[in-house]
Amino acid sequence: MGTNTMLWPILLILSLLALQTAVCEESGPVIVEEPDNRVDFSNSTGANIHCSVRGHPKPTVVWVKADDGTAIGDVPGLRKVLSNGTLMFPPFRAEDYRQEVHAQVYRCQATNPHGTVHSRDVHVRAVVPQAYLIDVSLENVIRGNSAILKCNIPSFVADFVSVQAW
């Protein structure tokens, strides 16, 4: 029996062990850094939303609309999807506000041959500064009785304004 004939079973076993080790090192995608559930930002500052993932082979990351799972892409000057998993909203002019971009629910999606995972929903809301007035309702009160006065704040700023004092 030659030396080559005796090495054949050993080489076969080593090859199978190497293949098994390579397969065992593979894993499905896992989200390592999940984005916040709510991201509010000003049009003058913009925002970056990060989604870090791991897996083997390396997962691809896309951002999708949460309502229908449609993948989103770049909107020049308003939204950019970076290859590292970051969804970027650069600063923009007030007149460039677009509800379908700046008031949307997004989700990070990571995929590799072993599966797909999604992040939590990310509620994005851009705020554009604008003038507003608050007022107090006029109430008729009979002398000697109590009156309840209500501070009326426009709905488009109500989430960002609080009454501090009367």
mmCIF file of all heavy atoms in Angstrom, residues 139-164:
data_model
loop_
_atom_site.group_PDB
_atom_site.id
_atom_site.type_symbol
_atom_site.label_atom_id
_atom_site.label_comp_id
_atom_site.label_asym_id
_atom_site.label_seq_id
_atom_site.Cartn_x
_atom_site.Cartn_y
_atom_site.Cartn_z
ATOM 1 N N GLU A 139 -64.479 83.462 27.746
ATOM 2 C CA GLU A 139 -65.528 82.787 28.508
ATOM 3 C C GLU A 139 -66.359 83.832 29.237
ATOM 4 O O GLU A 139 -65.824 84.799 29.785
ATOM 5 C CB GLU A 139 -64.919 81.815 29.521
ATOM 6 C CG GLU A 139 -64.110 80.694 28.919
ATOM 7 C CD GLU A 139 -64.952 79.687 28.140
ATOM 8 O OE1 GLU A 139 -66.156 79.552 28.435
ATOM 9 O OE2 GLU A 139 -64.401 79.060 27.224
ATOM 10 N N ASN A 140 -67.662 83.651 29.237
ATOM 11 C CA ASN A 140 -68.552 84.515 30.020
ATOM 12 C C ASN A 140 -68.701 83.899 31.401
ATOM 13 O O ASN A 140 -68.951 82.699 31.534
ATOM 14 C CB ASN A 140 -69.927 84.630 29.356
ATOM 15 C CG ASN A 140 -69.837 85.373 28.034
ATOM 16 O OD1 ASN A 140 -69.104 86.352 27.929
ATOM 17 N ND2 ASN A 140 -70.563 84.904 27.037
ATOM 18 N N VAL A 141 -68.534 84.746 32.416
ATOM 19 C CA VAL A 141 -68.611 84.267 33.787
ATOM 20 C C VAL A 141 -69.499 85.212 34.584
ATOM 21 O O VAL A 141 -69.383 86.432 34.471
ATOM 22 C CB VAL A 141 -67.209 84.208 34.430
ATOM 23 C CG1 VAL A 141 -67.285 83.703 35.864
ATOM 24 C CG2 VAL A 141 -66.275 83.356 33.603
ATOM 25 N N ILE A 142 -70.364 84.651 35.377
ATOM 26 C CA ILE A 142 -71.203 85.464 36.271
ATOM 27 C C ILE A 142 -70.348 85.855 37.462
ATOM 28 O O ILE A 142 -69.593 85.038 38.007
ATOM 29 C CB ILE A 142 -72.446 84.656 36.726
ATOM 30 C CG1 ILE A 142 -73.271 84.276 35.507
ATOM 31 C CG2 ILE A 142 -73.262 85.439 37.745
ATOM 32 C CD1 ILE A 142 -74.397 83.309 35.808
ATOM 33 N N ARG A 143 -70.457 87.133 37.823
ATOM 34 C CA ARG A 143 -69.662 87.660 38.925
ATOM 35 C C ARG A 143 -69.790 86.765 40.160
ATOM 36 O O ARG A 143 -70.867 86.313 40.497
ATOM 37 C CB ARG A 143 -70.115 89.075 39.276
ATOM 38 C CG ARG A 143 -69.269 89.716 40.351
ATOM 39 C CD ARG A 143 -69.712 91.102 40.620
ATOM 40 N NE ARG A 143 -69.482 91.864 39.396
ATOM 41 C CZ ARG A 143 -69.148 93.131 39.361
ATOM 42 N NH1 ARG A 143 -69.064 93.815 40.467
ATOM 43 N NH2 ARG A 143 -68.949 93.750 38.234
ATOM 44 N N GLY A 144 -68.623 86.460 40.762
ATOM 45 C CA GLY A 144 -68.590 85.631 41.958
ATOM 46 C C GLY A 144 -68.369 84.148 41.658
ATOM 47 O O GLY A 144 -68.137 83.370 42.569
ATOM 48 N N ASN A 145 -68.467 83.756 40.387
ATOM 49 C CA ASN A 145 -68.242 82.364 40.016
ATOM 50 C C ASN A 145 -66.807 82.179 39.520
ATOM 51 O O ASN A 145 -66.087 83.138 39.270
ATOM 52 C CB ASN A 145 -69.221 81.921 38.932
ATOM 53 C CG ASN A 145 -70.621 81.770 39.471
ATOM 54 O OD1 ASN A 145 -70.808 81.573 40.661
ATOM 55 N ND2 ASN A 145 -71.603 81.862 38.591
ATOM 56 N N SER A 146 -66.429 80.932 39.337
ATOM 57 C CA SER A 146 -65.094 80.615 38.840
ATOM 58 C C SER A 146 -65.119 80.494 37.325
ATOM 59 O O SER A 146 -66.157 80.182 36.732
ATOM 60 C CB SER A 146 -64.607 79.285 39.418
ATOM 61 O OG SER A 146 -64.532 79.363 40.822
ATOM 62 N N ALA A 147 -63.973 80.723 36.725
ATOM 63 C CA ALA A 147 -63.837 80.565 35.275
ATOM 64 C C ALA A 147 -62.658 79.631 34.997
ATOM 65 O O ALA A 147 -61.673 79.632 35.723
ATOM 66 C CB ALA A 147 -63.597 81.914 34.609
ATOM 67 N N ILE A 148 -62.810 78.845 33.954
ATOM 68 C CA ILE A 148 -61.697 78.000 33.505
ATOM 69 C C ILE A 148 -61.188 78.592 32.201
ATOM 70 O O ILE A 148 -61.944 78.733 31.238
ATOM 71 C CB ILE A 148 -62.153 76.551 33.287
ATOM 72 C CG1 ILE A 148 -62.614 75.944 34.610
ATOM 73 C CG2 ILE A 148 -61.021 75.724 32.679
ATOM 74 C CD1 ILE A 148 -63.160 74.541 34.490
ATOM 75 N N LEU A 149 -59.925 78.947 32.205
ATOM 76 C CA LEU A 149 -59.312 79.520 31.018
ATOM 77 C C LEU A 149 -58.438 78.455 30.365
ATOM 78 O O LEU A 149 -57.684 77.761 31.040
ATOM 79 C CB LEU A 149 -58.475 80.740 31.384
ATOM 80 C CG LEU A 149 -59.232 81.868 32.092
ATOM 81 C CD1 LEU A 149 -58.271 82.975 32.478
ATOM 82 C CD2 LEU A 149 -60.348 82.403 31.205
ATOM 83 N N LYS A 150 -58.550 78.347 29.071
ATOM 84 C CA LYS A 150 -57.769 77.335 28.341
ATOM 85 C C LYS A 150 -56.821 78.042 27.380
ATOM 86 O O LYS A 150 -57.214 78.937 26.631
ATOM 87 C CB LYS A 150 -58.710 76.410 27.561
ATOM 88 C CG LYS A 150 -57.985 75.326 26.814
ATOM 89 C CD LYS A 150 -58.972 74.355 26.224
ATOM 90 C CE LYS A 150 -58.493 73.244 25.427
ATOM 91 N NZ LYS A 150 -57.317 72.910 24.980
ATOM 92 N N CYS A 151 -55.574 77.619 27.428
ATOM 93 C CA CYS A 151 -54.570 78.147 26.509
ATOM 94 C C CYS A 151 -54.648 77.321 25.229
ATOM 95 O O CYS A 151 -54.413 76.113 25.251
ATOM 96 C CB CYS A 151 -53.192 78.032 27.150
ATOM 97 S SG CYS A 151 -51.876 78.708 26.143
ATOM 98 N N ASN A 152 -54.992 77.923 24.125
ATOM 99 C CA ASN A 152 -55.132 77.220 22.849
ATOM 100 C C ASN A 152 -53.821 77.298 22.069
ATOM 101 O O ASN A 152 -53.372 78.369 21.676
ATOM 102 C CB ASN A 152 -56.264 77.834 22.021
ATOM 103 C CG ASN A 152 -57.607 77.679 22.698
ATOM 104 O OD1 ASN A 152 -57.924 76.607 23.196
ATOM 105 N ND2 ASN A 152 -58.380 78.755 22.748
ATOM 106 N N ILE A 153 -53.236 76.129 21.851
ATOM 107 C CA ILE A 153 -51.972 76.021 21.118
ATOM 108 C C ILE A 153 -52.269 75.320 19.800
ATOM 109 O O ILE A 153 -52.913 74.268 19.787
ATOM 110 C CB ILE A 153 -50.949 75.209 21.930
ATOM 111 C CG1 ILE A 153 -50.709 75.883 23.291
ATOM 112 C CG2 ILE A 153 -49.648 75.045 21.162
ATOM 113 C CD1 ILE A 153 -49.893 75.047 24.255
ATOM 114 N N PRO A 154 -51.813 75.872 18.678
ATOM 115 C CA PRO A 154 -52.069 75.217 17.381
ATOM 116 C C PRO A 154 -51.555 73.783 17.374
ATOM 117 O O PRO A 154 -50.493 73.478 17.915
ATOM 118 C CB PRO A 154 -51.300 76.082 16.378
ATOM 119 C CG PRO A 154 -51.125 77.402 17.052
ATOM 120 C CD PRO A 154 -51.054 77.106 18.527
ATOM 121 N N SER A 155 -52.303 72.894 16.755
ATOM 122 C CA SER A 155 -51.974 71.461 16.774
ATOM 123 C C SER A 155 -50.609 71.158 16.152
ATOM 124 O O SER A 155 -49.934 70.224 16.571
ATOM 125 C CB SER A 155 -53.065 70.662 16.065
ATOM 126 O OG SER A 155 -53.160 71.063 14.712
ATOM 127 N N PHE A 156 -50.170 71.930 15.170
ATOM 128 C CA PHE A 156 -48.904 71.610 14.505
ATOM 129 C C PHE A 156 -47.681 71.860 15.372
ATOM 130 O O PHE A 156 -46.589 71.394 15.051
ATOM 131 C CB PHE A 156 -48.779 72.325 13.151
ATOM 132 C CG PHE A 156 -48.655 73.830 13.230
ATOM 133 C CD1 PHE A 156 -47.418 74.438 13.331
ATOM 134 C CD2 PHE A 156 -49.793 74.627 13.183
ATOM 135 C CE1 PHE A 156 -47.297 75.819 13.393
ATOM 136 C CE2 PHE A 156 -49.682 76.004 13.237
ATOM 137 C CZ PHE A 156 -48.436 76.595 13.359
ATOM 138 N N VAL A 157 -47.857 72.565 16.504
ATOM 139 C CA VAL A 157 -46.728 72.757 17.434
ATOM 140 C C VAL A 157 -47.027 72.217 18.828
ATOM 141 O O VAL A 157 -46.178 72.275 19.708
ATOM 142 C CB VAL A 157 -46.318 74.251 17.551
ATOM 143 C CG1 VAL A 157 -45.724 74.761 16.271
ATOM 144 C CG2 VAL A 157 -47.463 75.099 18.030
ATOM 145 N N ALA A 158 -48.200 71.672 19.039
ATOM 146 C CA ALA A 158 -48.615 71.243 20.381
ATOM 147 C C ALA A 158 -47.650 70.248 21.008
ATOM 148 O O ALA A 158 -47.437 70.276 22.225
ATOM 149 C CB ALA A 158 -50.025 70.671 20.330
ATOM 150 N N ASP A 159 -47.046 69.358 20.220
ATOM 151 C CA ASP A 159 -46.103 68.377 20.774
ATOM 152 C C ASP A 159 -44.780 68.999 21.217
ATOM 153 O O ASP A 159 -43.994 68.357 21.926
ATOM 154 C CB ASP A 159 -45.791 67.291 19.737
ATOM 155 C CG ASP A 159 -46.960 66.365 19.499
ATOM 156 O OD1 ASP A 159 -47.922 66.385 20.295
ATOM 157 O OD2 ASP A 159 -46.931 65.625 18.504
ATOM 158 N N PHE A 160 -44.528 70.237 20.815
ATOM 159 C CA PHE A 160 -43.236 70.860 21.088
ATOM 160 C C PHE A 160 -43.332 72.063 22.024
ATOM 161 O O PHE A 160 -42.319 72.678 22.328
ATOM 162 C CB PHE A 160 -42.577 71.280 19.771
ATOM 163 C CG PHE A 160 -42.473 70.154 18.788
ATOM 164 C CD1 PHE A 160 -43.383 70.022 17.756
ATOM 165 C CD2 PHE A 160 -41.488 69.190 18.929
ATOM 166 C CE1 PHE A 160 -43.307 68.966 16.865
ATOM 167 C CE2 PHE A 160 -41.413 68.123 18.046
ATOM 168 C CZ PHE A 160 -42.311 68.011 17.009
ATOM 169 N N VAL A 161 -44.544 72.428 22.441
ATOM 170 C CA VAL A 161 -44.756 73.609 23.270
ATOM 171 C C VAL A 161 -45.455 73.191 24.558
ATOM 172 O O VAL A 161 -46.362 72.352 24.526
ATOM 173 C CB VAL A 161 -45.635 74.641 22.517
ATOM 174 C CG1 VAL A 161 -45.979 75.820 23.415
ATOM 175 C CG2 VAL A 161 -44.939 75.121 21.263
ATOM 176 N N SER A 162 -45.024 73.756 25.656
ATOM 177 C CA SER A 162 -45.739 73.512 26.919
ATOM 178 C C SER A 162 -45.963 74.849 27.610
ATOM 179 O O SER A 162 -45.143 75.768 27.519
ATOM 180 C CB SER A 162 -44.937 72.561 27.819
ATOM 181 O OG SER A 162 -43.700 73.139 28.160
ATOM 182 N N VAL A 163 -47.082 74.958 28.311
ATOM 183 C CA VAL A 163 -47.408 76.179 29.035
ATOM 184 C C VAL A 163 -46.591 76.187 30.318
ATOM 185 O O VAL A 163 -46.668 75.240 31.118
ATOM 186 C CB VAL A 163 -48.925 76.242 29.352
ATOM 187 C CG1 VAL A 163 -49.254 77.484 30.170
ATOM 188 C CG2 VAL A 163 -49.732 76.219 28.062
ATOM 189 N N GLN A 164 -45.796 77.205 30.499
ATOM 190 C CA GLN A 164 -44.919 77.299 31.665
ATOM 191 C C GLN A 164 -45.531 78.135 32.779
ATOM 192 O O GLN A 164 -45.273 77.893 33.959
ATOM 193 C CB GLN A 164 -43.561 77.895 31.269
ATOM 194 C CG GLN A 164 -42.783 77.036 30.294
ATOM 195 C CD GLN A 164 -42.415 75.686 30.881
ATOM 196 O OE1 GLN A 164 -41.911 75.594 31.991
ATOM 197 N NE2 GLN A 164 -42.690 74.631 30.135
#
